[in-house]
């Protein structure tokens, strides 16, 4: 019974850790939903769903481990196994999608500039789709990221860093050359898309799409790292849950040491020998 209580106590504490792990997952989803810097809602739904599933699975594990309910533990183990497989696939996909990117250094500048060609084809297609891009662009404009650098002087652009969105959407590419407000010579097409009007700027530039892609890539990479930590915790909880499930089944069957009443100090053959000797004595007397 001591080992049963010990195993169930351990699984109870591990489920408490899992329960607490669901908090940053749910918080991360809410942060993506309301953050002005992410400008991408595609990640918040799976992250919120993952957080609430972990929360519900942890509660089922508490019921099974603390009250010795075998069917609750069985449901808990099945749910957490499915969750581990799903989380593993989602995390691996996230690392593959965010493998590219990072931007290109600009000589003499602290900030980087971003090009669409260096990002994964899936992520690029998902963001640059007309419907999704319109939603992302509304977010970019609403974040007022460009207003924060509207008063920058040329010296500021030399000394200060810029976010991916500020670098791609709020200014023309650094290589652009203008004369009388017009682009001269053969240059990047974004040089011709740039307009100094506050409601135009470089929102129609390819560099703006690349800046949003970079911001999404960074957020998704952070989520993937968080998922790895949660995955390790879930695997540990699943392993201990198997022990708690075995103990719960023994408790329900009335045989704390299995059907043979076997323990480390009382092997099965000793129990059967003792029962045979007891029956013989009852026949004699």
């Amino acid at each position: 019974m001591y080992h049963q209580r010990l195993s169930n106590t351990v699984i109870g504490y591990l489920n408490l850790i899992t329960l607490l792990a669901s908090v940053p997952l749910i918080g991360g989803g809410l942060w993506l939903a309301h953050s002005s810097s992410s400008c991408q809602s595609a990640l918040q739904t799976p992250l919120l769903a993952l957080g609430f599933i972990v929360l519900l699975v942890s509660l089922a594990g508490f019921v099974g481990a603390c009250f010795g309910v075998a069917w609750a533990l069985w449901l808990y183990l099945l749910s957490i196994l499915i969750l581990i497989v799903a989380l593993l696939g989602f995390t691996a996909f996230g690392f593959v999608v965010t493998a590219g990117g990072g931007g290109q250094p600009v000589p003499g500048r602290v900030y980087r500039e971003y090009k669409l060609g260096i990002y994964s084809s899936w992520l690029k297609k998902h963001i640059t789709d007309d419907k999704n891009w319109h939603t992302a662009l509304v977010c970019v404009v609403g974040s007022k990221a460009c207003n924060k650098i509207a008063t920058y002087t040329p010296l500021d652009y030399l000394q200060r860093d810029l976010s991916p969105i500020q670098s791609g959407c709020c200014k023309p590419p650094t290589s652009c050359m203008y004369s009388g407000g017009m682009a001269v010579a053969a240059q990047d097409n974004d040089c011709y898309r740039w307009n100094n009007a506050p409601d135009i700027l470089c929102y129609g530039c390819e560099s703006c799409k690349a800046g949003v892609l970079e911001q999404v890539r960074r957020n998704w990479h952070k989520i993937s790292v968080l998922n790895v930590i949660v995955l390790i915790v879930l695997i540990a909880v699943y392993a201990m849950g198997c022990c708690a499930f075995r103990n719960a089944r023994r408790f329900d069957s009335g045989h704390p040491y299995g059907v043979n009443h076997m323990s480390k100090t009382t092997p099965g053959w000793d129990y059967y020998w003792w029962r045979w000797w007891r029956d013989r004595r009852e026949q004699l007397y």
Side-chain angles (χ1 to χ4, degrees):
M1 295 298 293
Y2 169 75
H3 295 285
Q4 176 181 341
R5 291 194 301 268
L6 177 61
S7 180
N8 290 348
T9 300
V10 171
I11 190 62
Y13 278 116
L14 286 176
N15 272 281
L16 177 60
I17 297 175
T18 309
L19 185 68
L20 296 176
S22 68
V23 175
L25 290 177
I26 296 174
L30 295 176
W31 171 73
L32 285 177
H34 299 286
S35 174
S36 61
S37 62
S38 63
C39 292
Q40 176 53 245
S41 60
L43 303 180
Q44 70 191 44
T45 300
L47 193 62
L48 285 173
L50 176 64
F52 282 113
I53 290 174
V54 171
L55 178 64
L56 294 176
V57 169
S58 300
L59 292 177
F62 269 122
V63 174
C66 296
F67 298 99
V69 181
W71 68 265
L73 273 176
W74 181 87
L75 180 62
Y76 157 76
L77 289 176
L78 178 62
S79 300
I80 203 170
L81 179 60
I82 295 174
L83 183 61
I84 288 174
V85 174
L87 183 59
L88 184 62
F90 180 74
T91 303
F93 178 74
F95 278 116
V96 171
V97 168
T98 60
Q104 301 173 344
V106 180
R109 303 292 194 276
V110 179
Y111 59 81
R112 290 173 171 262
E113 291 186 338
Y114 307 91
K115 302 293 183 181
L116 283 176
I118 61 177
Y119 296 94
S120 67
S121 57
W122 183 91
L123 189 62
K124 183 166 55 178
K125 181 180 179 180
H126 182 76
I127 299 298
T128 57
D129 176 80
D130 291 339
K131 181 180 178 181
N132 293 330
W133 174 243
H134 176 74
T135 303
L137 186 58
V138 171
C139 176
V140 170
V141 176
S143 68
K144 302 185 185 302
C146 295
N147 292 348
K148 299 176 183 178
I149 64 171
T151 58
Y152 273 20
T153 64
L155 183 61
D156 291 326
Y157 281 103
L158 289 173
Q159 298 178 342
R160 296 191 180 186
D161 196 8
L162 301 176
S163 70
I165 290 178
Q166 289 174 334
S167 176
C169 304
C170 305
K171 67 171 189 60
T174 305
S175 60
C176 294
M177 294 183 295
Y178 295 93
S179 177
M182 300 292 293
V184 296
Q187 303 185 62
D188 191 315
N189 289 332
D190 284 347
C191 297
Y192 299 96
R193 297 188 180 103
W194 161 262
N195 191 300
N196 203 37
D199 58 339
I200 299 179
L201 299 180
C202 215
Y203 293 137
C205 300
E206 295 293 305
S207 61
C208 186
K209 296 179 179 180
V212 173
L213 279 173
E214 175 62 21
Q215 193 66 57
V216 173
R217 187 195 72 85
R218 292 182 181 183
N219 290 336
W220 201 338
H221 185 76
K222 293 176 182 178
I223 292 172
S224 297
V225 173
L226 178 63
N227 287 343
V228 170
I229 298 174
V230 175
L231 189 61
I232 294 174
V233 174
L234 289 179
I235 292 175
V237 171
Y238 179 78
M240 295 303 301
C242 292
C243 298
F245 177 66
R246 181 184 59 186
N247 288 336
R249 290 190 63 185
R250 290 175 177 175
F251 182 80
D252 288 345
S253 66
H255 299 146
Y257 299 108
V259 295
N260 293 329
H261 297 254
M262 181 182 290
S263 69
K264 293 182 179 179
T265 58
T266 309
W269 65 266
D270 190 33
Y271 166 74
Y272 285 111
W273 172 258
W274 170 83
R275 190 173 66 176
W276 176 85
W277 175 251
R278 183 195 62 185
D279 294 342
R280 292 291 297 173
R281 289 186 61 185
E282 290 178 353
Q283 291 176 2
L284 293 175
Y285 299 101

